[in-house]
Amino acid sequence: MCSSDLVAALLGTSVEAAAARIEDAIDGQLGRDMARFLADRGVDPGDVTVYGFGGGGPVHLARACTAAGIRRMRTFPFGAVFSAFGCTAVDVRHRYEVLAPTGGYTLDGARADAEELVRRAGWDLQAEGFGGRGGTCHLVIEGVDGGRLGQTGDVDFGPGVARDLVDAAWPLPAGAATVALVVNVPIGVLSGTPTTTLTREAGTAERGVERTLWWGASPTRARVTAIGELPVGSTSRGPAVVLDGEAVCVVPPNWAVTRDPDGGLLWERTA
């Protein structure tokens, strides 16, 4: 029995219904995390526009936005391509942290913990092929609530840097609960964007057909539309699937997408 059949059997339902329940749980958790992030900063979800990138954004984010109380999002031409390409060109950034002792640090104890963090960072960068690229690092000191209590300036990453970082931060601020080492390795620079969206008119093999989608516990029929079929300013209401060349845009019920002049999609909740 494969894993999908096993999960469905444990839940006492079909494989499709089990997958829909799992997706609901994931999207719901993402939505709750987004709502908490906004609430911590005093931001009204109704004032927010979410940008959806990658292949996952157009598939999952609308339902997560619903759970978060967000009513608007956007997806962009070549968003999936640039999301993947960006992962190969943006700086590599790692964070390593350790909890401070209950009674506070001694200078030697702080140096020893920082040296261990530097060793871990060095191993990871070497394993990832970035060992010879240099880079910078700094220490961040945080309280029990995650608030930042202090930070050192950036210095070149390498052996022996732990002592210099701790000495620069010493004495650590009162209430220090976490000491984190942040390492940044510059990789490259992205520049330029395509000047046309003509290639996105392709991929229309399934246009005009209907597919069965699962929203929660029940299947729903949804029309499949190629983005080339949507004139600028036209709107497609969910449930729907819009094939965007490099991405599949899954539009839930109570959402609608409108094609903008730049070839992107504006997503808005309708209820």
Side-chain angles (χ1 to χ4, degrees), residues 122-156:
W123 293 334
D124 286 347
L125 293 175
Q126 191 67 39
E128 294 168 1
F130 302 123
R133 286 185 176 266
T136 61
C137 62
H138 60 264
L139 283 185
V140 177
I141 297 89
E142 298 172 342
V144 291
D145 61 351
R148 183 168 298 188
L149 302 179
Q151 176 179 322
T152 66
D154 282 314
V155 296
D156 291 339

Side-chain angles (χ1 to χ4, degrees), residues 6-149:
L6 178 60
V7 171
L10 290 172
L11 294 176
T13 187
S14 68
V15 171
E16 292 83 0
R21 288 177 62 178
I22 293 170
E23 187 174 13
D24 281 347
I26 294 171
D27 294 343
Q29 182 61 58
L30 176 57
R32 289 189 292 273
D33 290 343
M34 293 164 65
R36 184 165 51 250
F37 178 87
L38 296 173
D40 288 346
R41 289 155 179 80
V43 177
D44 182 350
D47 296 333
V48 170
T49 299
V50 170
Y51 287 0
F53 288 96
V59 174
H60 295 282
L61 269 181
R63 293 204 292 180
C65 286
T66 298
I70 296 169
R71 305 188 62 85
R72 189 182 305 104
M73 62 177 278
R74 286 186 178 275
T75 52
F76 303 92
F78 306 103
V81 174
F82 279 132
S83 177
F85 182 44
C87 292
T88 69
V90 297
D91 292 353
V92 172
R93 190 176 182 88
H94 290 315
R95 175 184 164 111
Y96 305 85
E97 60 184 46
V98 62
L99 294 178
T102 304
Y105 268 117
T106 64
L107 179 58
D108 287 342
R111 287 172 175 170
D113 274 357
E115 287 170 0
E116 177 60 24
L117 297 181
V118 170
R119 275 195 294 271
R120 287 169 52 194
W123 293 334
D124 286 347
L125 293 175
Q126 191 67 39
E128 294 168 1
F130 302 123
R133 286 185 176 266
T136 61
C137 62
H138 60 264
L139 283 185
V140 177
I141 297 89
E142 298 172 342
V144 291
D145 61 351
R148 183 168 298 188
L149 302 179

Side-chain angles (χ1 to χ4, degrees), residues 164-215:
D164 294 337
L165 288 171
V166 171
D167 289 353
W170 196 260
L172 300 186
T178 302
V179 175
L181 172 72
V182 179
V183 182
N184 188 75
V185 180
I187 301 301
V189 177
L190 274 176
S191 63
T193 57
T195 58
T196 177
T197 60
L198 291 178
T199 58
R200 298 170 64 246
E201 309 300 326
T204 59
E206 291 190 272
R207 64 184 179 186
V209 305
E210 287 192 346
R211 296 286 299 273
T212 299
L213 304 179
W214 286 74
W215 309 102

Side-chain angles (χ1 to χ4, degrees), residues 196-254:
T196 177
T197 60
L198 291 178
T199 58
R200 298 170 64 246
E201 309 300 326
T204 59
E206 291 190 272
R207 64 184 179 186
V209 305
E210 287 192 346
R211 296 286 299 273
T212 299
L213 304 179
W214 286 74
W215 309 102
S218 337
T220 303
R221 298 295 289 175
R223 185 175 185 275
V224 178
T225 305
I227 195 166
E229 295 181 276
L230 295 177
V232 172
S234 65
T235 297
S236 179
R237 296 182 176 274
V241 176
V242 179
L243 302 178
D244 192 8
E246 305 83 19
V248 177
C249 302
V250 180
V251 186
N254 300 325

